[in-house]
Amino acid sequence: MAETRRVEKVWRSKPTIEGAGVHLRRAFGFHEVPQLDPFLLLDDFRSDDPAAYRRGFPWHPHRGIETITYVLAGDVEHGDSLGNRGVTGAGDVQWMTAGSGIIHQAMPKGDGQVRMWGFQLWANPPASHKMMDPRYQEVRRDDIPVLEIAGGGSVRVICGEMAGVRGPVRDIITDPEYLDASLPPGRTFTHAVKPTHTVFAYVIDGEGHFDPERDPYAREAVGENYFDMARSCVCGNHTLVVYGPGEAVVVMTEEHPVRFLLVAGKPLAEPVAWYGPIVMNTQAELRVAFREYEQGTFVKHGRA
C-alpha cells in the first residue's frame, strides 16, 4: 500500500500589502524559503472591497521565476513588454515564465459584485532555465478538465494528472501539479503523489482533516500570535498544510465541506538569491539584473 503523507507543519496565511497597495493574505514567501522548494510564494487576494485591490500591480520587472495566477472571481487586466495584452477572468489561469526578463502589469478589476478572488503562486525554475525565453501558457476556464469524484466532490486539474485526466498546463521543468479540489461533507479524497516531490495544500473554504492521524500534536503548528495556544486537528479557511514524505495524500470531511488547492513540485535543492520581483541563484546575478534594469537592457525579448 502507498504510504500516506503526514502533515509536517501548518499555519495560517497573514494579511499583508503588496504592489501599489493591494491588501491580500500571504501563505508563504521569502521567510519560508526553502521549506516549499521549488515554490517561493503563495498570495491569496480574495476581497470584496475595490479599495483593497484596485491599485493593482503597475509596471514592474520579473526575472528567474514563474508566476501562476488563478482567478476565481473578477477580472485581471494584464500587459507586458512582449506586447501581450489581455484579461484573465473567473476560472482562468495565467502561467507566466519570466525567464531572462519581462516587464508587465496586472490590474485587478473585480466583477459585477465587486469581488476580486484569486491566488498567485511563484515557482522557481532551475538555474539551467533561469534565462530562458519568456513565455505564457494562458488557460481559459473551459479548457481546464473537471474530474468528478466517486461519491461526490470534484477536482479541477490545472496542471499534472489525476485518475488519467491531465491538466492543460504542460512542459514545466519542475514537473508541478496544481489541483483545485472540492469535497462535500462525509467524503474522503485520496490522491497519489510522487514521493520525491514537495507537496502542500491551501484551504480556501470549509474545513477538513488533512492527516489521517488527526493528532494536532503530531505536527508543528505556527500560532497566529504569541498567545495563540489553540490547536485543532481540523484545517479551515486560510490554512496552509505542508506535508512530509510519502506517496499519497488523504483528506477527509465530516459535517462540513472543504475546498482546497493541492500543489506539488520537484524540489531543486539550489541556492536562492531573492530581492523583490527577481529571483536568481547568486547575489552577483541579482546585481546584474538590477544594473541591466537601470540601464534599460533588462528585457532581452520584446521592448522595454
Side-chain angles (χ1 to χ4, degrees):
M1 293 180 64
E3 179 189 0
T4 299
R5 290 199 180 215
R6 297 180 177 180
V7 175
E8 196 168 78
K9 192 172 184 178
V10 297
W11 65 83
R12 285 171 59 83
S13 56
K14 296 183 178 179
T16 189
I17 299 176
E18 197 52 89
V22 177
H23 293 252
L24 49 81
R25 296 182 66 99
R26 178 152 296 160
F28 63 87
F30 180 83
H31 297 291
E32 285 71 42
V33 170
Q35 293 181 55
L36 292 113
D37 179 19
F39 304 107
L40 299 163
L41 173 148
L42 176 63
D43 281 346
D44 174 348
F45 53 85
R46 288 176 287 166
S47 176
D48 297 335
D49 178 9
Y53 61 74
R54 63 187 171 198
R55 294 182 181 179
F57 304 89
W59 295 100
H60 59 282
H62 280 302
R63 174 178 287 180
I65 64 171
E66 293 183 307
T67 64
I68 301 101
T69 305
Y70 178 30
V71 177
L72 297 187
D75 293 326
V76 179
E77 294 181 357
H78 63 87
D80 64 40
S81 50
L82 294 172
N84 295 309
R85 296 289 186 275
V87 175
T88 304
D92 297 344
V93 173
Q94 181 196 78
W95 198 296
M96 183 186 80
T97 303
S100 61
I102 197 167
I103 299 174
H104 81 138
Q105 69 170 353
M107 305 302 290
K109 299 301 179 183
D111 63 9
Q113 301 176 54
V114 303
R115 299 176 303 172
M116 187 67 251
W117 295 358
F119 309 91
Q120 185 165 96
L121 175 68
W122 288 14
N124 194 22
S128 59
H129 288 71
K130 286 282 190 184
M131 295 295 287
M132 68 181 287
D133 295 350
R135 68 172 185 174
Y136 283 91
Q137 293 193 53
E138 298 272 6
V139 181
R140 297 304 176 193
R141 175 190 181 95
D142 293 342
D143 295 326
I144 299 174
V146 179
L147 177 65
E148 299 298 328
I149 301 173
S154 64
V155 180
R156 300 191 79 211
V157 185
I158 296 167
C159 184
E161 183 175 339
M162 182 175 180
V165 176
R166 291 192 66 192
V169 177
R170 302 181 183 182
D171 301 320
I172 305 296
I173 300 301
T174 50
D175 190 24
E177 190 163 66
Y178 195 144
L179 309 177
D180 175 358
S182 297
L183 278 184
R187 294 292 184 270
T188 298
F189 168 93
T190 303
H191 178 57
V193 294
K194 295 180 180 179
T196 56
H197 283 30
T198 297
V199 181
F200 72 85
Y202 183 65
V203 185
I204 60 178
D205 194 22
E207 62 180 36
H209 295 276
F210 286 75
D211 193 333
E213 290 186 333
R214 302 192 182 190
D215 181 1
Y217 293 94
R219 63 201 187 202
E220 183 180 355
V222 180
E224 299 250 14
N225 55 56
Y226 181 78
F227 298 101
D228 184 0
M229 302 295 289
R231 281 200 182 197
S232 173
C233 60
V234 174
C235 296
N237 192 18
H238 300 131
T239 301
L240 187 84
V241 179
V242 181
Y243 283 102
E247 301 169 320
V249 168
V250 176
V251 180
M252 293 170 283
T253 57
E254 292 184 342
E255 294 90 1
H256 302 284
V258 70
R259 184 178 183 183
F260 59 94
L261 307 178
L262 184 67
V263 180
K266 183 179 179 180
L268 304 175
E270 293 182 350
V272 173
W274 180 356
Y275 189 83
I278 297 173
V279 183
M280 303 300 290
N281 294 102
T282 68
Q283 293 297 318
E285 291 170 332
L286 280 184
R287 283 193 289 272
V288 169
F290 281 95
R291 182 170 65 248
E292 289 183 348
Y293 186 67
E294 292 171 356
Q295 295 173 348
T297 58
F298 180 84
V299 174
K300 311 301 181 186
H301 302 270
R303 295 182 298 172

